[in-house]
Amino acid sequence: MLIETPVLEGATLRLEPLSEAHLPGLEKIAFDERIWRYMLTSVKTLKDLRDWMDSALQAKEAGNAMPWATVLKAENRVIGSTRFLDLDLKHRTVEIGHTWLSPDFHGAGLNPEAKLLQLTYAFEQLKMNRVALKTHHQNLQSQAAMRKMGATEEGTFRNHYVMPDGSQRHSVWFSIIREDWPQVKSRLEERLQRERTRASA
């Protein structure tokens, strides 16, 4: 069963189903090498970006992915992308991944809002039992962010991938399960509230 990718809207961000219409916005931000440092895809040219998008949309059509463009509502501006992958409705599991933001917005508190939108949809609409996340072994910032929101570190897949530069990547896995969700949701909501209060002070 193919589920339509929904629009997910928060206070600051809107996650829109990824489409060709987002390509011009993505072209403005996607060629910063910092975005792809820990990714399995290297986007350096317009062709690379189109290939990246084609891959995302093909996975969507196959029924095992939901790709989104991340849009900053105040400016109606595309600032990144994220997706569900390995969507398994039988076993009620999914992974959040392929997440990136323009470096202009790193550290701006936007990623927690995106995660809250995705996790709320996963657990409260799709009734998932498990949401997984994984990251490059050297991406310590990403690992810290996962721990901060309450995800459980499960272990490391050694020599899991070969990176575009030929180096080996070990993947550090985290998960949030249905039983964890109330506490994770509360933690994310409290964090976002603190950041909004600080921003308006």
Side-chain angles (χ1 to χ4, degrees):
M1 180 176 65
L2 189 64
I3 300 177
E4 285 298 314
T5 305
V7 175
L8 303 178
E9 190 151 349
T12 308
L13 297 177
R14 183 172 60 250
L15 301 185
E16 299 177 354
L18 184 68
S19 73
E20 293 280 347
H22 294 112
L23 195 58
L26 290 167
E27 284 180 38
K28 296 176 182 177
I29 60 172
F31 303 119
D32 189 311
E33 64 182 13
R34 290 173 292 177
I35 292 171
W36 309 101
R37 179 180 177 188
Y38 298 116
M39 297 281 204
L40 297 174
T41 302
S42 178
V43 173
K44 297 180 178 179
T45 66
L46 182 55
K47 181 184 183 302
D48 291 340
L49 183 61
R50 288 184 178 276
D51 289 346
W52 169 87
M53 176 170 280
D54 287 346
S55 176
L57 296 179
Q58 287 166 12
K60 175 184 178 181
E61 289 305 310
N64 59 15
M66 289 185 179
W68 286 278
T70 305
V71 177
L72 187 66
K73 290 172 58 174
E75 303 175 19
N76 197 32
R77 174 183 171 191
V78 178
I79 61 170
S81 182
T82 186
R83 75 183 77 157
F84 282 175
L85 58 149
D86 290 337
L87 177 63
D88 185 335
L89 296 176
K90 177 181 178 180
H91 296 290
R92 300 199 174 278
T93 66
V94 73
E95 181 183 341
I96 295 175
H98 295 281
T99 300
W100 59 272
L101 287 174
S102 165
D104 290 347
F105 296 94
H106 287 182
L110 299 180
N111 191 48
E113 182 174 335
K115 290 292 189 292
L116 179 60
L117 291 171
Q118 290 174 287
L119 289 166
T120 299
Y121 177 64
F123 286 113
E124 298 182 11
Q125 301 299 317
L126 296 181
K127 307 299 182 184
M128 289 287 135
N129 290 325
R130 166 189 167 86
V131 175
L133 309 101
K134 68 178 182 293
T135 187
H136 193 293
H137 66 282
Q138 292 180 340
N139 193 346
L140 303 182
Q141 184 175 353
S142 177
Q143 293 168 41
M146 292 177 192
R147 294 186 189 100
K148 189 172 184 178
M149 73 177 174
T152 296
E153 184 174 347
E154 295 182 321
T156 301
F157 282 13
R158 298 179 300 162
N159 289 358
H160 191 202
Y161 294 120
V162 177
M163 297 294 287
D165 66 0
S167 64
Q168 289 284 346
R169 164 179 153 163
H170 315 312
S171 293
V172 184
W173 283 86
F174 293 80
S175 71
I176 299 165
I177 62 173
R178 184 181 56 205
E179 292 82 356
D180 301 332
W181 171 233
Q183 183 177 5
V184 171
K185 182 179 183 180
S186 177
R187 186 179 293 195
L188 283 169
E189 288 177 337
E190 288 172 4
R191 180 178 172 189
L192 290 171
Q193 183 59 46
R194 285 196 304 272
E195 290 178 356
R196 290 185 192 118
T197 300
R198 187 161 53 241
S200 62

